[in-house]
Amino acid sequence: MARSLLGKPSPASPLLGLLIIACSQVSQDPPAQTISDSINAEDSPSDDFRYEQNFVFASVIGDSVFLVPWLTRTTTYTGQTVREARGWLARSGTWDAFYAEEWTTPPTQNPTQMLPYGNMRLLMQEGDIVDGIIFDDSVRRLELTFGDVVANWNGPRGEAIDLVEGAAYILDEQVEGLILHLARASTGATPLSGDWGLLVSGDSLQLVFAANLEHGGETEPLFTTWANIGQEERLWPEVRVGWAEVQAFPPARRDVPVSWFISSPDGSLEGHLEAVSAEIQTSPGPGPLLPVRALFEVAGDIYTEEGLFPVRGLLVHERR
């Protein structure tokens, strides 16, 4: 089964081994600049394109889940391209934000292509498909390698989703697990895509969900939900992932969810999730409510027609 590749959307459609990664393996944009050197007042966000490529490695170990999220975003403006990449390691309830970079490059005809930067290196397949992500700062080294594709799906807003067998290498330790690759895009004329997540229950169930809208607007977001259950693939096109409990996050002057309920209209998918640990960040904004990004390690239960599945995984919540 081939890996997916996100193409440029039309306005209406809307991740320690012995690998040597040379920058020449990835075709590059012209030299990068820091954000502070390059933001221009004439760059208009009204007609920008926003591309996300998100990778999550997950492996359930005992009563916790080992997570390595890599989240990347590229925004194209009239005169420049702004790129962001961030990496975390979550283990036994402790989060380590080991990589965070934001930089600009001149306009490009291929903004969906990921580029290496700083301590992040990439291994690519033909067709600009990421096949491995390495962080190496000469002190620490963390590598994700991609294996066989388990499943791939497409979403109503042009999302491309791959579930891939993979491994994480940290120091001398190798951890086998599953990698989610979620690629999606939006334009300045369309609402921003919303929260998303990955839930796993061993080999019995792997479930991915992604919202069409951010929380907090006039319209409640609906989640497209895909699942592998045994040897069967399932799709629920309109699922509610509601907030059962919230807590205040004063740095952003917002509430953030800490408990969720899941329900499909026909009752064939139900569930409940609780936050086990979290990494919550805010960023500058016009205020008084500031942008917030929260990564939650979650645990709970999922009910389908096939039975009850105890799950663990990652839920990403963002307000911009």
Side-chain angles (χ1 to χ4, degrees), residues 52-239:
E52 296 179 28
Q53 292 209 57
N54 302 311
F55 303 85
V56 180
F57 172 84
S59 180
V60 177
I61 302 175
D63 60 354
S64 66
V65 60
F66 180 99
L67 295 168
V68 183
W70 276 98
L71 309 187
T72 75
R73 180 175 296 155
T74 301
T75 306
T76 63
Y77 297 93
T78 302
Q80 66 180 349
T81 301
V82 179
R83 299 178 182 273
E84 174 189 355
R86 298 181 184 274
W88 295 264
L89 170 65
R91 194 172 195 176
S92 301
T94 300
W95 289 81
D96 177 13
F98 60 83
Y99 181 88
E101 295 286 356
E102 193 170 353
W103 70 101
T104 68
T105 57
T108 175
Q109 294 183 347
N110 191 12
T112 62
Q113 179 189 34
M114 284 183 60
L115 297 179
Y117 187 78
N119 297 321
M120 178 182 69
R121 294 289 178 261
L122 303 173
L123 179 64
M124 308 295 289
Q125 292 183 14
E126 183 179 355
D128 297 335
I129 297 175
V130 177
D131 202 39
I133 304 179
I134 295 176
F135 168 80
D136 191 344
D137 66 357
S138 300
V139 177
R140 298 180 298 173
R141 182 179 173 90
L142 173 62
E143 178 183 340
L144 296 186
T145 61
F146 296 69
D148 294 335
V149 176
V150 176
N152 51 24
W153 303 292
N154 294 310
R157 290 190 50 163
E159 301 97 328
I161 299 103
D162 291 320
L163 286 179
V164 185
E165 294 176 348
Y169 297 85
I170 180 169
L171 299 177
D172 296 326
E173 182 181 3
Q174 174 181 342
V175 181
E176 302 287 343
L178 186 73
I179 297 174
L180 164 66
H181 174 204
L182 168 63
R184 59 186 185 175
S186 60
T187 73
T190 60
L192 295 171
S193 300
D195 298 356
W196 57 274
L198 168 67
L199 303 175
V200 295
S201 183
D203 296 330
S204 301
L205 176 140
Q206 302 90 38
L207 185 145
V208 178
F209 53 95
N212 61 337
L213 302 168
E214 283 194 356
H215 278 274
E218 295 181 358
T219 303
E220 181 180 13
L222 292 174
F223 289 72
T224 304
T225 303
W226 305 264
N228 261 353
I229 305 177
Q231 301 299 316
E232 300 293 327
E233 293 189 6
R234 298 286 302 274
L235 167 67
W236 292 270
E238 295 185 349
V239 173

Side-chain angles (χ1 to χ4, degrees), residues 191-319:
L192 295 171
S193 300
D195 298 356
W196 57 274
L198 168 67
L199 303 175
V200 295
S201 183
D203 296 330
S204 301
L205 176 140
Q206 302 90 38
L207 185 145
V208 178
F209 53 95
N212 61 337
L213 302 168
E214 283 194 356
H215 278 274
E218 295 181 358
T219 303
E220 181 180 13
L222 292 174
F223 289 72
T224 304
T225 303
W226 305 264
N228 261 353
I229 305 177
Q231 301 299 316
E232 300 293 327
E233 293 189 6
R234 298 286 302 274
L235 167 67
W236 292 270
E238 295 185 349
V239 173
R240 291 187 65 206
V241 181
W243 296 3
E245 183 181 354
V246 300
Q247 289 185 2
F249 183 63
R253 306 180 188 92
R254 294 183 184 270
D255 290 339
V256 295
V258 294
S259 178
W260 300 260
F261 64 86
I262 299 171
S263 64
S264 65
D266 64 359
S268 63
L269 175 66
E270 303 287 339
H272 182 263
L273 300 174
E274 298 281 346
V276 177
S277 66
E279 172 77 357
I280 307 176
Q281 301 173 339
T282 189
S283 57
L289 303 179
L290 299 180
V292 64
R293 174 190 278 160
L295 285 74
F296 295 100
E297 174 194 355
V298 295
D301 294 306
I302 293 293
Y303 305 86
T304 72
E305 295 171 342
E306 290 78 9
L308 166 66
F309 300 91
V311 295
R312 291 186 176 273
L314 176 76
L315 191 154
V316 178
H317 165 68
E318 193 162 7
R319 298 286 300 277

